[in-house]
Amino acid sequence: MSELKLPSRSEDFSEWYNELVLRAELADYAPVRGCMIVRPYGWALWENIQQSLDRRFKATGHVNAAFPLLIPRSFIEKEKHHVAGFSPELAVVTHGGGEELEEPLVVRPTSETIIGHSYAKWIQSYRDLPLLINQWNSVVRWELRTKLFLRTLEFFWQEGHTAHATPEEAEVETRQMLEIYRDFAVNEAAIPVIPGLKSESERFAGADQTYSIEAMMGDGKALQSATSHNLGQNFAKAFEIRYLDKNGVLQHCWTTSWGLSTRFIGAIIMVHGDDQGLILPPRLAPHQVVVVPIFKSDEEKNQVMEAARKIRSELADSKFRVVLDEREGTSPGFKFNDWEMRGVPLRIEIGPKDVAKGTVVLARRDKPGKEGKSFVPQTGLSAAAAEALAAIQKSLYDRALSFREAHTSDPAAYGDFKAAVEKGFAYSFWCGSADCEQRIKDDTKATLRNMPLDQPEDNGSCICCGQPARKRAYFAKAY
Ligand SMILES: [Zn+2]
């Protein structure tokens, strides 16, 4: 790790992000432009994200499976909106085993088609429904402008695919998964999100409805953090996914799909990070606690290391994810900076005086300097660490929420609206017309993020054309 400071977040947010990803050793660039190498520390974070989501998926009756990477090109062409949406981004395999293939194969950009093909074989009767399958994999979309985690040619994600007997059940499933993503973002990642409905122009290619959770990043831009799609009968008709109902009548199924990707790591970085580096929410951090020993002489070293190892074992026994920094030849100051760069939420410092007094220093990553430091006894340290981690988790969420609130406005006129989306989110009435949405995009580069689900019907006028409008939407520039 370099000792150079990161570019300042307020001066160059984009370079701050790029440098942080590299220096915290989350990911690296790959030989193929636009691809990403996820380094062990980044992958450990992803594994924690996976586990928290997987637990929620299984608790709601979903099971995991694995479908192939390669899809016959004809599959992609079966659903007309799907092919129109994904064609420009497809990677196509034309040769295999040294010969030109009879039918080119597509590297999956998403798996609705190949899973639809299997569901058509597996589903016969209403007794086979609902079918609730998820898979953890990677997909390829030939993106032109890429950025580590946020937009890469290949990315990692989960994609859930379900089939149901009725449109009502499919809608309940779509909304349930949106709620799972919301709950995960808020309670695990400490990221406040807005659950809502996408406009038609921002819908997934082949969906009847797309819902998303949207989060505000540290520069005021939005990041679509997960999506859940009600696919209606579009894929069921394209792939003949049918079942015999209780009256013996053949019916098409109603399907859904939903996903959250490694993009979410980008959200964690951009919501919580500061000029010193990453700040990880304790519930997802690969290391929740780092113990840094401080000593000069060999005699001090022996005393301090003995106490430090004891602390590590006790915390590990209490199920904390804890690491003891035993590196030789690096100063405690270097180690502090290094773990700050990597966003470890809580640091325990222990030196000869602490050993003598039976205390340690707790230093919170979210509150740099004296403000975040406290002296606590070594006895009962697990309880003190648990309390500090819970306080960090809460303060990260509160801080992100107040930032979003401070950067969200309800502009009175279109002129104010244009200024508002330069700084953050505008929450405005929208008449529902695609023309207004497009004009806003042309004028400001802001897009309609979503229409929140929990809003009451109201009477207002469209921020763009002034026509009567019943619903509000969030508009923002987005990643
Ligand atoms: Zn309008």
Side-chain angles (χ1 to χ4, degrees):
M1 194 206 83
S2 158
E3 287 188 81
L4 290 171
K5 274 187 80 71
L6 284 174
S8 141
R9 199 166 175 265
S10 54
E11 277 167 24
D12 193 342
F13 195 83
S14 175
E15 264 315 295
W16 166 83
Y17 176 88
N18 294 339
E19 283 287 313
L20 190 160
V21 169
L22 298 176
R23 288 214 228 153
E25 298 183 349
L26 293 168
D28 204 350
Y29 296 106
V32 174
R33 188 200 56 81
C35 286
M36 161 174 71
I37 296 164
V38 182
R39 299 188 65 175
Y41 192 53
W43 196 256
L45 176 58
W46 180 237
E47 283 177 335
N48 288 343
I49 292 171
Q50 286 184 309
Q51 283 161 20
S52 337
L53 283 171
D54 210 58
R55 206 166 49 232
R56 289 168 165 82
F57 297 160
K58 287 178 178 153
T60 42
H62 303 86
V63 289
N64 288 331
F67 289 85
L69 170 76
L70 298 173
I71 300 177
R73 189 160 74 183
S74 57
F75 280 30
I76 301 284
E77 287 159 2
K78 282 189 182 179
E79 209 290 326
K80 64 181 195 296
H81 294 104
H82 196 64
V83 64
F86 280 102
S87 280
E89 298 182 346
L90 293 180
V92 183
V93 179
T94 56
H95 289 72
E99 286 184 22
E100 189 166 348
L101 302 174
E102 263 178 48
E103 181 183 357
L105 304 174
V106 165
V107 181
R108 65 180 165 219
T110 177
S111 304
E112 278 75 9
T113 59
I114 194 143
I115 292 180
H117 171 81
S118 303
Y119 281 12
K121 286 199 289 182
W122 298 344
I123 298 167
Q124 309 295 333
S125 113
Y126 68 91
R127 292 185 199 88
D128 300 322
L129 297 173
L131 188 52
L132 310 170
I133 296 181
N134 175 62
Q135 69 171 340
W136 292 95
N137 61 3
S138 70
V139 291
V140 168
R141 297 177 186 176
W142 214 265
E143 299 281 0
L144 297 177
R145 296 187 57 202
T146 59
K147 201 170 171 73
L148 291 171
F149 290 118
L150 297 178
R151 198 172 290 278
T152 48
L153 223 136
E154 179 188 13
F155 60 86
F156 302 87
W157 75 344
Q158 57 68 217
E159 45 176 324
H161 296 268
T162 69
H164 306 264
T166 67
E168 292 77 18
E169 282 175 39
E171 181 64 14
V172 166
E173 168 77 7
T174 310
R175 298 281 285 263
Q176 169 184 261
M177 300 325 286
L178 186 75
E179 169 54 21
I180 282 178
Y181 291 138
R182 187 206 63 78
D183 177 63
F184 161 79
V186 167
N187 294 310
E188 307 286 346
I191 296 179
V193 291
I194 299 158
L197 183 64
K198 286 283 191 187
S199 63
E200 192 179 342
S201 76
E202 301 278 334
R203 217 174 261 166
F204 175 77
D208 276 2
Q209 295 293 0
T210 288
Y211 297 92
S212 70
I213 51 168
E214 302 281 334
M216 182 185 282
M217 302 297 104
D219 59 353
K221 285 194 195 169
L223 187 108
Q224 176 178 294
S225 307
T227 48
S228 185
H229 315 291
N230 186 333
L231 304 173
Q233 291 182 311
N234 303 329
F235 286 88
K237 286 184 174 160
F239 286 87
E240 291 299 333
I241 312 171
R242 295 184 295 181
Y243 73 98
L244 277 175
D245 70 14
K246 286 178 183 167
N247 304 315
V249 179
L250 200 55
Q251 305 267 11
H252 282 103
C253 290
W254 301 81
T255 67
T256 83
S257 67
W258 28 275
L260 181 146
S261 77
T262 36
R263 268 202 124 192
F264 200 87
I265 292 180
I268 291 173
I269 298 167
M270 291 194 288
V271 169
H272 299 311
D274 67 10
D275 283 353
Q276 273 64 53
L278 192 58
I279 302 181
L280 291 175
R283 292 185 62 88
L284 295 176
H287 308 304
Q288 296 170 307
V289 184
V290 57
V291 183
V292 179
I294 303 166
F295 51 80
K296 289 206 176 78
S297 67
D298 277 353
E299 193 194 335
E300 285 178 358
K301 181 181 172 181
N302 292 337
Q303 289 176 353
V304 169
M305 288 310 296
E306 192 193 332
R309 290 196 183 109
K310 194 166 156 240
I311 288 168
R312 178 190 47 193
S313 321
E314 282 176 10
L315 291 176
D317 289 346
S318 305
K319 306 289 175 227
F320 291 96
R321 296 187 289 273
V322 57
V323 61
L324 169 60
D325 190 343
E326 296 192 68
R327 283 178 289 181
E328 302 271 354
T330 46
S331 69
F334 177 92
K335 290 178 178 178
F336 292 177
N337 290 338
D338 191 20
W339 294 111
E340 277 173 10
M341 179 69 80
R342 290 161 188 268
V344 175
L346 190 63
R347 181 174 74 226
I348 295 178
E349 304 166 11
I350 178 160
K353 281 183 192 163
D354 303 303
V355 174
K357 283 191 285 187
T359 58
V360 294
V361 176
L362 289 189
R364 284 174 59 161
R365 176 62 184 87
D366 63 323
K367 291 184 174 177
K370 278 193 179 150
E371 195 201 347
K373 285 203 177 191
S374 57
F375 297 85
V376 302
Q378 286 172 26
T379 36
L381 188 55
S382 288
E387 201 176 301
L389 290 171
I392 295 166
Q393 183 82 25
K394 181 173 188 307
S395 101
L396 289 178
Y397 179 82
D398 291 347
R399 189 154 86 183
L401 183 61
S402 7
F403 181 86
R404 188 184 82 193
E405 284 170 350
H407 291 81
T408 299
S409 54
D410 174 8
Y414 196 46
D416 304 331
F417 175 91
K418 289 182 186 170
V421 294
E422 289 301 316
K423 284 190 247 128
F425 290 4
Y427 187 44
S428 299
F429 279 103
W430 173 55
C431 64
S433 116
D435 289 344
C436 285
E437 194 184 354
Q438 188 59 44
R439 188 182 149 199
I440 288 171
K441 200 169 168 180
D442 294 341
D443 289 349
T444 66
K445 296 198 176 73
T447 47
L448 193 158
R449 302 318 306 159
N450 69 24
M451 290 164 273
L453 296 174
D454 57 3
Q455 58 176 309
E457 285 269 320
D458 205 349
N459 288 311
S461 49
C462 175
I463 191 65
C464 185
C465 68
Q467 294 296 308
R470 307 295 299 274
K471 291 267 182 184
R472 289 175 191 241
Y474 280 95
F475 292 88
K477 294 185 182 181
Y479 281 96

